[in-house]
Amino acid sequence: MSAGEGTGTGTHPGTTTAPHILDNPAWASLSGAHSAFAEHPGGLRPGASLASRAARASLASRAARYDPGVSPFAALADPADPRSWADLAALVGGGGVASLAGVLTPPEGWETVGVIEGVQLVDTSLRAEPAPEAVRLGPSDVPEVLALIELTKPGPFLPRTVELGTYLGIRHRGRLIAMAGERLHPPGWTEISAVCTHPGHRGRGPATRLVRAVAAGIRERGEVPFLHTSAANTGAIRLYESIGFTLRRRPFFMAVRAPGNKPAKLP
């Protein structure tokens, strides 16, 4: 597979190649391992009983999003299907904003409010190994984690993002100076995310050690690590490629606004 290509299951000329699961990893996560964090059209919230009518209806929904305290991402079952966009509109409401990946052009009536070109890289030869100095990060560490995220800006991170998977950190004199963890979790894969180092400790390799350590945990489950970063972050891309990741594709991350207006708030 050449850099940037996807993979599929089609094997005969003239047949349609099936999409790879990493072409739509947020949907695969929300409809699988992260279903407990998923919100669907009709008001279904995480943890709702599947005995409810709304819960049964959610099984046929074509759009979902993460609980807003966990992640800003939403997803479509099929970006080419108008029914997916209709479900997303019902989910976010008129004038609501959704953050999506892999969508180039939203349908008529939707407004694009932000676009970032990204890259998706997959582990092909990474040396995964534990980091003895790494500590597991949890809810009590969130204030310090959010401070490091604000300083380094590796991407969106919310107060409950740590619930999505294992997050590891390295401390220096008791202060959190580097972290990395698990975010999207499509079947057979886990995304490494929130990789960052305090500016005063860069060049010493703590983030690389954490990436290897997070990857070791992913490999122990029989899964394959992958990650995303901005296409403009050429230094990070070179680093990831140097330690064993390979460019797979160049997705776009897009914020879109649904048609209509948000209802006015009651006084």
Side-chain angles (χ1 to χ4, degrees), residues 40-234:
H40 296 271
L44 181 66
R45 305 286 297 181
S49 169
L50 285 178
S52 71
R53 180 178 299 179
R56 292 195 300 271
S58 76
L59 299 178
S61 72
R62 299 175 179 87
R65 67 180 174 187
Y66 279 94
D67 182 300
V70 175
S71 173
F73 289 109
L76 303 164
D78 180 0
D81 184 356
R83 296 172 299 176
S84 291
W85 288 95
D87 280 356
L88 182 61
L91 176 60
V92 302
V97 174
S99 297
L100 301 168
V103 176
L104 291 176
T105 306
E108 183 178 355
W110 287 78
E111 176 190 358
T112 300
V113 295
V115 180
I116 297 175
E117 182 181 359
V119 295
Q120 183 185 80
L121 302 105
V122 297
D123 166 23
T124 53
S125 58
L126 177 68
R127 188 181 80 248
E129 58 189 8
E133 73 272 43
V135 295
R136 178 78 178 260
L137 301 175
S140 64
D141 301 297
V142 166
E144 198 173 5
V145 166
L146 292 177
L148 183 61
I149 293 290
E150 177 62 25
L151 180 65
T152 58
K153 301 189 184 305
F157 198 98
L158 299 172
R160 293 180 55 210
T161 301
V162 292
E163 298 177 24
L164 292 177
T166 299
Y167 280 84
L168 301 178
I170 291 177
R171 296 185 178 278
H172 178 72
R173 297 178 179 174
R175 181 184 185 186
L176 184 67
I177 56 95
M179 63 174 288
E182 302 173 353
R183 190 170 61 178
L184 298 180
H185 194 178
W189 302 79
T190 298
E191 180 193 25
I192 298 178
S193 183
V195 181
C196 57
T197 304
H198 189 283
H201 295 267
R202 288 174 181 163
R204 305 173 191 176
T208 300
R209 295 197 297 275
L210 288 173
V211 167
R212 296 188 191 280
V214 173
I218 295 170
R219 293 257 195 90
E220 286 179 0
R221 299 196 298 263
E223 298 169 351
V224 181
F226 73 105
L227 53 82
H228 294 100
T229 191
S230 166
N233 196 352
T234 55

Side-chain angles (χ1 to χ4, degrees), residues 10-18:
T11 57
H12 300 286
T15 61
T16 301
T17 301

